């Protein structure tokens, strides 16, 4: 819980009573490797905070190929915000790619916090804004660079991820084949 409190306090000030209320609304969820936190075709029902492990957001393209959009590691929120906020079916999966431990808020409890704690909505807005900026910063350079440069950027963006996840997911994220990724890794060692 301390990790989550430290995380949210980066985005605003809350008193001990408010922090206690937030803590009272969490439950711990343990996901085994390959389990889903949320699934395409369903409405996201919870917000999570990754205490341990790595998740990924992925989808299937029109050819049926699995595409990894991004990774979420420790001390970050995990939620399909569009689905969660708008009660619409998600078009992506959030999957544990290592065993994971998350703090989780149900939709009901999250909304209650938004209605009860003055300033919580501003904190959430700042968290979401930062996450969106990170997403753009992480994806934008990947579009125009060659595969080796994309891989080197991946290592900078996700320094704690590379040795903990299957290379097939890294290749998918980079938009290259796994054999191309193996060749790149051999040339930069």
């Amino acid at each position: 819980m301390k990790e989550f409190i430290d995380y949210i306090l980066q985005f605003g000030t809350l008193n001990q009573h408010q922090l206690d209320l937030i803590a009272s609304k969490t439950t711990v969820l343990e996901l085994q490797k390959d389990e889903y936190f949320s699934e395409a075709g369903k409405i996201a029902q919870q917000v999570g905070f990754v205490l341990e492990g790595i998740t990924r957001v992925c989808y299937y393209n029109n050819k049926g190929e699995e595409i990894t959009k991004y990774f979420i590691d420790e001390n970050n929120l995990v939620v399909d915000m569009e689905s969660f906020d708008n009660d619409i079916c998600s078009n992506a999966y959030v999957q544990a790619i290592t065993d994971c431990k998350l703090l989780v808020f149900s939709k009901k409890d999250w909304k209650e916090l938004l209605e009860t704690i003055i300033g919580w909505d501003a904190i959430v807005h700042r968290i979401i804004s930062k996450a969106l900026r990170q997403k753009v910063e992480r994806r934008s350079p990947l579009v125009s660079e060659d595969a080796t440069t994309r891989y080197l950027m991946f290592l900078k963006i996700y320094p704690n991820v590379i040795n903990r996840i299957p290379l097939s997911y890294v290749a998918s994220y980079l938009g290259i084949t796994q054999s191309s990724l193996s060749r790149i890794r051999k040339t930069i060692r």
Side-chain angles (χ1 to χ4, degrees), residues 56-103:
R56 73 178 179 132
V57 176
C58 62
Y59 66 96
Y60 290 90
N61 67 14
N62 57 9
K63 297 177 188 167
E65 300 165 325
E66 187 180 85
I67 308 295
T68 298
K69 287 170 63 172
Y70 54 94
F71 303 96
I72 304 164
D73 60 357
E74 288 90 353
N75 299 317
N76 286 292
L77 282 182
V78 56
V79 61
D80 182 329
M81 195 53 76
E82 185 177 11
S83 172
F84 184 83
D85 278 348
N86 301 309
D87 288 322
I88 58 174
C89 289
S90 177
N91 59 6
Y93 295 87
V94 179
Q95 180 185 34
I97 50 177
T98 65
D99 289 346
C100 292
K101 184 176 176 183
L102 298 95
L103 279 181

Side-chain angles (χ1 to χ4, degrees), residues 2-126:
K2 179 189 180 322
E3 297 92 340
F4 181 66
I5 297 299
D6 290 346
Y7 177 79
I8 59 175
L9 289 178
Q10 297 173 62
F11 300 96
T13 306
L14 297 168
N15 64 40
Q16 192 58 51
H17 178 72
Q18 292 168 321
L19 294 172
D20 292 342
L21 179 61
I22 292 167
S24 74
K25 300 295 181 184
T26 64
T27 56
V28 173
L29 173 67
E30 295 197 9
L31 292 175
Q32 300 303 305
K33 179 181 175 183
D34 297 329
E35 279 189 280
Y36 292 104
F37 178 74
S38 62
E39 296 180 68
K42 297 181 179 177
I43 297 171
Q45 296 295 321
Q46 54 195 1
V47 173
F49 180 78
V50 182
L51 294 170
E52 297 171 13
I54 303 169
T55 63
R56 73 178 179 132
V57 176
C58 62
Y59 66 96
Y60 290 90
N61 67 14
N62 57 9
K63 297 177 188 167
E65 300 165 325
E66 187 180 85
I67 308 295
T68 298
K69 287 170 63 172
Y70 54 94
F71 303 96
I72 304 164
D73 60 357
E74 288 90 353
N75 299 317
N76 286 292
L77 282 182
V78 56
V79 61
D80 182 329
M81 195 53 76
E82 185 177 11
S83 172
F84 184 83
D85 278 348
N86 301 309
D87 288 322
I88 58 174
C89 289
S90 177
N91 59 6
Y93 295 87
V94 179
Q95 180 185 34
I97 50 177
T98 65
D99 289 346
C100 292
K101 184 176 176 183
L102 298 95
L103 279 181
V104 176
F105 297 87
S106 69
K107 184 180 279 199
K108 174 184 159 292
D109 287 340
W110 189 259
K111 288 187 176 183
E112 187 180 316
L113 291 173
L114 285 170
E115 294 166 2
T116 307
I117 297 177
I118 295 169
W120 180 245
D121 56 341
I123 289 171
V124 169
H125 179 74
R126 286 186 205 107

